[in-house]
Amino acid sequence: MPSFDGRVVQYPSTSNLRDYLSWRQADCHINNLYNTAFWALVQKGDVGTTEAEEILKGTVASQKNEILFSRFGINYNDEPEQFKKGSVLFRDYGALSIGSTDSNAAEQRGEEREFSKKRKEKGKKRRSKAEIKLQSMDIIRDHFWEAHPWLLTDE
């Protein structure tokens, strides 16, 4: 059963934030691979916890994968994504349109637009109604961020 590990942090730039989140996802993968191999050894391999630690001590990912596959027939790549990548919780603003097509096109090109206070408040209210999504996906590569560009803006 996965457990929740949440943190509140403030970083000086979106680059620092992406680096941090990438590290957290990579760490999730590393920990899960170790734990999958460890508990397979203990539960299916009739090995004690101390012996399982010794077997895994100093191993790299490929060696853990080999242990899982050769001893237990487990292909780690077939494990559910939520265990390998963790879960990402975010507001999906993508389906919301807050202005004209020209304004949205300008925003997608990274151009800043000045909006009236009333329009900003209206946009803020609409965005607060955005769907909250829970997904297990790769956030290290650019695809996630390109598909959800608003996550790295001040809006």
Side-chain angles (χ1 to χ4, degrees):
M1 171 66 72
S3 62
F4 178 76
D5 180 9
R7 300 174 187 191
V8 176
V9 294
Q10 183 175 352
Y11 284 99
S13 71
T14 55
S15 176
N16 290 131
L17 175 63
R18 278 194 62 181
D19 286 348
Y20 173 76
L21 293 173
S22 294
W23 169 75
R24 295 290 298 156
Q25 187 166 73
D27 197 43
C28 175
H29 168 74
I30 291 165
N31 291 335
N32 185 64
L33 178 57
Y34 178 89
N35 286 324
T36 301
F38 177 87
W39 288 110
L41 286 166
V42 172
Q43 294 174 343
K44 297 177 182 177
D46 293 324
V47 170
T49 57
T50 304
E51 188 178 348
E53 284 181 29
E54 279 301 313
I55 292 169
L56 295 173
K57 188 181 208 177
T59 59
V60 295
S62 61
Q63 293 167 315
K64 291 177 188 78
N65 279 310
E66 182 60 28
I67 288 169
L68 286 169
F69 192 74
S70 65
R71 293 190 187 187
F72 309 108
I74 297 171
N75 182 340
Y76 185 75
N77 291 327
D78 294 338
E79 293 295 301
E81 292 295 302
Q82 79 179 78
F83 302 123
K84 296 186 295 185
K85 298 191 182 306
S87 299
V88 181
L89 186 67
F90 63 95
R91 282 194 190 272
D92 188 3
Y93 299 141
L96 296 176
S97 173
I98 59 170
S100 69
T101 304
D102 292 340
S103 295
N104 287 337
E107 286 176 18
Q108 288 176 354
R109 290 190 306 267
E111 297 173 8
E112 291 192 29
R113 300 284 297 188
E114 285 297 321
F115 296 110
S116 69
K117 184 177 180 179
K118 183 177 180 181
R119 185 168 178 183
K120 286 179 184 178
E121 287 300 317
K122 185 177 180 182
K124 185 177 179 180
K125 183 177 179 181
R126 291 180 75 195
R127 287 189 303 274
S128 71
K129 295 178 183 178
E131 179 182 1
I132 296 176
K133 291 196 172 180
L134 175 65
Q135 296 184 348
S136 297
M137 56 195 338
D138 187 336
I139 62 170
I140 296 173
R141 293 189 182 98
D142 290 335
H143 178 75
F144 174 80
W145 302 103
E146 290 167 353
H148 308 90
W150 59 88
L151 295 175
L152 298 176
T153 66
D154 291 337
E155 295 187 25

